[in-house]
Amino acid sequence: MTTSEPTPSSLRMQRVIPAPPHEVYRAWLDPALLRRWLAPGEWRVTRIEVDERVGGHFGVWQGTDDG
């Protein structure tokens, strides 16, 4: 992984997650796990698509009960 200097319009956030790498990796790819932490408050996840193959895609749709 390469890093570059932030530009005025960029943001870099770094966190240390107290979990083994394989669990963090799965948390980004398992739709059931994604639902648990990508729907804060009144939001809900309406659809998740994860294709973990090289060149695959990742999509999360969120909404509220009132639309």
Side-chain angles (χ1 to χ4, degrees), residues 3-65:
T3 60
S4 60
E5 290 298 315
T7 63
S9 62
S10 69
L11 171 71
R12 181 174 182 217
M13 182 184 300
Q14 185 173 338
R15 296 281 188 260
V16 175
I17 300 171
H22 70 275
E23 288 181 13
V24 175
Y25 180 80
R26 288 304 330 151
W28 275 103
L29 299 174
D30 183 327
L33 294 174
L34 285 169
R35 273 184 205 284
R36 289 176 52 190
W37 62 277
L38 287 180
E42 64 184 40
W43 289 90
R44 62 185 172 84
V45 174
T46 59
R47 181 172 149 197
I48 297 177
E49 292 181 4
V50 178
D51 179 355
E52 62 184 279
R53 297 175 296 177
V54 173
H57 69 275
F58 179 94
V60 178
W61 290 257
Q62 295 175 306
T64 61
D65 288 334

